[in-house]
Structures are given as structure tokens and as C-alpha cells.
Amino acid sequence: MQPLPYIEKNKDRFISELFELLRIPSVSADSKYKADVLKTAEAVKEKIKTAGADTVEICPTAGYPIVYGEKIIDPSLPTVLVYGHYDVQPADPINLWTSPPFEPVLKDGNIYARGACDDKGQMYMHVKAFEFMMQTNSLPCNIKFMIEGEEEIGSDNLGIFVANNKEKLKADIILISDTGIIANDIPSLTVGLRGLSYLEVEVTGPNRDLHSGLYGGAVANPINVLCEMIAGMKDENNHITIPGFYDDVEVLSTEERAEMAKAPFSLDEYKKALDLSDINGEKGYSTNERISIRPTLDVNGIWGGYTGEGAKTVIASKAYAKISMRLVPNQISDKMTKLFTAYFEKAAPPSVKVKVTPHHGGEAVVTPSNSVAYKAASMAMEKTFGKKPIPFRSGGSIPIVAMFKSELGLDSVLMGFGLDSDAIHSPNEHFGVFNYLKGIETIPYFYQYFAELSKK
Ligand code: BES
Ligand code: MN
Ligand code: MN
């Protein structure tokens, strides 16, 4: 089994096919793109079919459909369930893109487009690796593809689909490329993801917008109040002050933390990449710990009052914010949402009313790093990168991974190929051609080693 010659021969086509997917703006958060999201599902279906699946179907849900396909070569062989998502984040602010987000271009060895890395590019590596194995008669496992269109909005409908289709989704392992590696010369495998609780708050002061001269000073300004309430949720050590916030947090041993600290990290490079003269975070923890094993509370958006051109002297009636909490193992998303809500309602001064609306959530996971599947992934990366990958916990969230475990009893292998510098969710998202092709090269080895190790 030799993926490289096949990749060398077909790489231009691999890139142009990915471009076709990237041209469809499948933004799940914005209903304006509904037709495009549906069109992307059709396109993904065709691609999986053409690559050699026996059957591919578009499974409807209450939201966007799930593309499901399979190739069963022998029911007695192990089965790998590949998960990915075809939806993408909104592209705005559009004016910060150097080329239009849905007109993919190749520039300096990178593919620039919304979704290039997260997750169309990474998802499509699996389709092309599958094509290679089909074309060269080297597929050693059964494959099931499950590609959803609502990951970026919380995967609620996929959760229902998984719970209702346990037989169909029977597999030995879930394989996902929707995470990253530390660097192109420091391969790594993700063994942890944070959970999430996302909510929106509304603070209401007077029943209408007021002249800030006639009323200013005598009534509560909801924007000021919201800012004070948000500021009050962290103390001088950047500890979150919501009562009970840390109660369930998994505490790592000194040994585990020492092990984690071995992963290469340069604070200087980190600051330089973000144009920061200093970093900021919870006292007592390293940067890597702050973005993996510690929970957070962040404002993702805040608005209210007059934000148009020029000035308007006004005290707004309402102020709003979107707030996320990243959670770590043992913190339950629903419980954290309740703790936040209780705190926020209690912290509000009597001069305003507050309303908290929960959005989506998801649970944190830690995946095993001693399983057959982990070993197969580690061997595959070692084979193609020439270095053994480092296991590490990521700060991002993929809510369905915890549900795969709780509903199907299945662990996931998080073998992603992106880089933190790929700017996912940001303007100018890109994916290295090196990473794209490296993924296509590595995936077939995973199947080979997983089949071999499963036999023993
Ligand atoms: N692929 C990302 C998550 C990710 C990226 C994990 C890099 C680890 C490394 C995924 O598409 C994502 O963005 N998830 C959301 C959660 C979702 C509920 C909106 C996130 O983490 O914000
Ligand atoms: Mn993703
Ligand atoms: Mn994402």
C-alpha cells in the first residue's frame, strides 16, 4: 500500500475538487444560506458516491441533513465511522479577507477559503483517502461516513440522529479530522476537547431609549450595568467568581501536568503570532493549561445603544451580550448554564431587568491514548511525518464526540491536520496543501494499522 505515488499523480484534481465544495457558502448559522447548505450536502453525497461507496443517502433532520454513506467489504472486518461536517462559520467581517471567502485560491502553499480547514478540507481528505484505497484495492476495513451540516451550531439534530440510529452506526471506532497538530514538524494527536455552554444575555433599563442629557445620571444605563456585571465575573487572578463554577472541575495530578508541560511551546512565538506584548489568563496555570484543562468565561459579542456613524446622545433601553463558557471534564454543560443564569439574575441591580437565553452546549471529553485505535493513528502519523505524534488536549469543542461515547459507547480518534495559524472562524481561513495531502497520505495507514492491530 503506497499512497504517495497516487497522491502525486492526482493532487491537482484533489485540490480542484475541494475548491468545488469551498465555493458553496454552507453557513449553517445564517438562514440566508439555506439553499447553499442543502446544495453542499448533495455535493458531498456525490463525492462519496464517486469515490466508491456502496450507498450514500441524505438523511433529513429537523435542521440540515446528514450525509451518510458506507462501504461494507466484509462484516467480519473492523468498521471505521468517519465523522466530519460540511457546514462552515459565517465569513464576516468580509472586508478583512484578502480574497473573497467563497472563491478559494491557492496562495503560498495554502488554500484560502472559509471552510478550507474547518472542516471541508479535513473532511474531504477522508473522501480522497477512501478513493485511493478503493482504486488500489487496499481498503482493509468497512467504512461508514457520517458528515453533518450543523456542527457549527451545536449538532443538536445529529445527537437525535445518533440516538435513533444505533444499529446503522455500529462501528469499532470513530475517526475524525476536525482538530489540529502542534506544527508541521511536531505531529500530535488530540486526546481531549473542552465542553461548551453558550448563552445570550439581555439587560433592560428604561422602557425606551432616553436623551442622555435629560435622564443621564438618574437612571441605570443598561450598557454600563452589563459591563459591570461582566467585569464582576472575574477576580484579580482571573478566577471566575460564579459560585460553584469550579466545583466539578477535574483536577490533574502534578505528574499529569508535568507530562503535559513537555509539549513544545514558545511563549515568544505565541505572542509574536498574535501581535501581543503580553498574555493574560488564570493565575497559577501555564498558557497550554489555560487553553486545555481549565474552564473559561468569555464575551463573544456585546452590543447596544448607538453604534452608527457620528455621535448620538442616548441612554439605550437595552444591552446585550453573547457569552461562552468552555468546560472541562466533569463539568456538565446544563448545570453550568444554570449556575450562570442564577448568578446573573442575582447580580443584577434592582434598577434593571435581565434575561438569560441559553444557546447550545456540549460536554468535554478525554479520549484514550492507550487503545488499539490510538496506537494505529500514532503509527500512521509516525510513518508519514517521520516522528511519533505527541498526545495533547485541545481547547476547542466538538459536542458530538461525547455523545458518540454516551450513545454508541464508541471512542473517537481525533486525528486532525490543521494548524492554530490556519485562522479557522477568522478572516482569511486557510489550509496548507502540505497538510491536506499529508492527511490523505496518513489516513490509509490508519486503516491498515487499525485492521492489523485489531486482528491480534
Ligand atoms: N473543528 C472545530 C473545533 C476544534 C478546532 C477543536 C480545532 C479542536 C481544534 C469545530 O468546528 C468548532 O468550531 N466547534 C465549536 C463548537 C460548536 C458547538 C460551535 C467551537 O469549538 O467553538
Ligand atoms: Mn470543525
Ligand atoms: Mn468550527
Side-chain angles (χ1 to χ4, degrees):
M1 199 216 38
Q2 288 216 323
L4 267 185
Y6 188 87
I7 293 170
E8 195 48 46
K9 211 165 83 208
N10 293 286
K11 64 179 182 205
D12 291 344
R13 177 174 58 83
F14 289 173
I15 292 170
S16 63
E17 287 178 8
L18 173 58
F19 276 25
E20 290 170 33
L21 293 179
L22 294 172
R23 282 193 193 101
I24 322 176
S26 51
V27 180
S28 51
D30 186 344
S31 56
K32 181 167 99 210
Y33 295 101
K34 186 167 179 196
D36 293 301
V37 183
L38 296 172
K39 198 170 137 195
T40 309
E42 289 293 340
V44 170
K45 175 188 166 185
E46 284 313 309
K47 299 289 188 206
I48 296 175
K49 184 88 193 120
T50 311
D54 296 326
T55 54
V56 195
E57 24 169 354
I58 302 254
C59 306
T61 72
Y64 288 121
I66 292 151
V67 183
Y68 178 83
E70 56 180 40
K71 175 79 201 173
I72 307 296
I73 48 171
D74 177 351
S76 68
L77 289 171
T79 300
V80 176
L81 174 59
V82 175
Y83 164 80
H85 61 96
Y86 65 81
D87 65 322
V88 300
Q89 286 272 328
D92 42 306
I94 301 274
N95 61 320
L96 295 183
W97 285 76
T98 51
S99 57
F102 299 106
E103 292 171 30
V105 288
L106 249 183
K107 227 172 12 194
D108 311 322
N110 290 310
I111 298 162
Y112 280 82
R114 171 58 85 231
C117 172
D118 184 13
D119 181 43
K120 285 174 176 165
Q122 298 216 65
M123 175 270 289
Y124 204 59
M125 299 180 317
H126 287 267
V127 182
K128 293 299 97 178
F130 172 54
E131 173 196 304
F132 158 72
M133 292 185 283
M134 290 304 293
Q135 290 298 317
T136 55
N137 236 320
S138 54
L139 179 67
C141 301
N142 303 307
I143 295 198
K144 296 180 174 177
F145 283 96
M146 184 169 69
I147 313 298
E148 73 154 317
E150 298 193 315
E151 195 278 339
E152 300 291 8
I153 51 172
S155 301
D156 285 350
N157 291 304
L158 181 67
I160 297 169
F161 181 81
V162 167
N164 290 336
N165 289 277
K166 292 188 179 168
E167 194 57 35
K168 188 189 191 97
L169 302 176
K170 263 212 159 112
D172 296 279
I173 189 70
I174 313 258
L175 179 61
I176 304 175
S177 297
D178 194 21
T179 54
I181 48 178
I182 295 175
N184 281 348
D185 57 355
I186 312 174
S188 55
L189 277 161
T190 301
V191 293
L193 293 166
R194 283 195 286 193
L196 182 68
S197 162
Y198 200 106
L199 13 86
E200 193 166 319
V201 298
E202 182 188 288
V203 177
T204 306
N207 60 2
R208 59 183 167 89
D209 287 7
L210 302 174
H211 188 291
S212 65
L214 297 183
Y215 290 93
V219 299
N221 179 329
I223 301 176
N224 290 33
V225 172
L226 176 58
C227 291
E228 283 158 20
M229 289 176 71
I230 288 166
M233 287 192 277
K234 275 188 195 172
D235 70 13
E236 66 281 9
N237 294 323
N238 276 310
H239 280 106
I240 293 145
T241 54
I242 297 175
F245 188 86
Y246 294 99
D247 281 4
D248 302 328
V249 167
E250 173 200 50
V251 178
L252 271 74
S253 66
T254 317
E255 292 74 35
E256 284 171 303
R257 289 177 69 184
E259 192 56 39
M260 278 185 66
K262 285 185 193 158
F265 176 77
S266 156
L267 191 56
D268 279 339
E269 279 172 36
Y270 188 83
K271 288 195 282 194
K272 217 167 127 204
L274 302 174
D275 268 327
L276 291 171
S277 38
D278 203 0
I279 49 159
N280 176 272
E282 189 185 0
K283 196 175 171 184
Y285 295 92
S286 70
T287 296
N288 269 329
E289 289 173 335
R290 288 169 179 170
I291 54 170
S292 61
I293 60 162
R294 298 299 294 168
T296 65
L297 186 147
D298 274 297
V299 179
N300 294 250
I302 183 164
W303 69 103
Y306 183 71
T307 56
E309 197 182 325
K312 180 186 181 194
T313 47
V314 65
I315 292 175
S317 167
K318 287 176 188 288
Y320 308 84
K322 291 183 192 282
I323 294 175
S324 68
M325 294 178 276
R326 292 282 168 176
L327 310 175
V328 298
N330 302 336
Q331 286 185 303
I332 308 292
S333 170
D334 273 349
K335 179 176 170 188
M336 300 309 294
T337 301
K338 287 199 182 89
L339 285 180
F340 177 94
T341 307
Y343 171 82
F344 202 78
E345 287 172 355
K346 206 170 147 225
S351 51
V352 299
K353 292 191 227 22
V354 299
K355 192 169 110 196
V356 180
T357 311
H359 280 266
H360 47 268
E363 310 307 336
V365 279
V366 174
T367 60
S369 47
N370 54 3
S371 63
V372 163
Y374 181 88
K375 187 135 192 260
S378 176
M379 286 166 66
M381 281 189 133
E382 186 168 3
K383 173 89 185 168
T384 59
F385 283 88
K387 271 187 205 170
K388 198 170 165 169
I390 299 170
F392 84 112
R393 292 201 201 183
S394 172
S397 309
I398 308 176
I400 200 64
V401 176
M403 283 187 254
F404 284 143
K405 184 71 184 173
S406 62
E407 293 293 332
L408 304 176
L410 290 178
D411 286 316
S412 296
V413 165
L414 301 165
M415 189 169 71
F417 294 86
L419 296 173
D420 283 354
S421 54
D422 286 343
I424 64 171
H425 296 205
S426 306
N428 305 311
E429 173 176 355
H430 54 278
F431 192 33
V433 172
F434 168 87
N435 303 69
Y436 180 51
L437 301 179
K438 192 57 92 180
I440 301 173
E441 181 192 354
T442 307
I443 291 163
Y445 286 109
F446 170 82
Y447 284 85
Q448 187 190 324
Y449 296 136
F450 185 61
E452 281 173 19
L453 294 172
S454 297
K455 262 185 239 158
K456 287 171 194 161

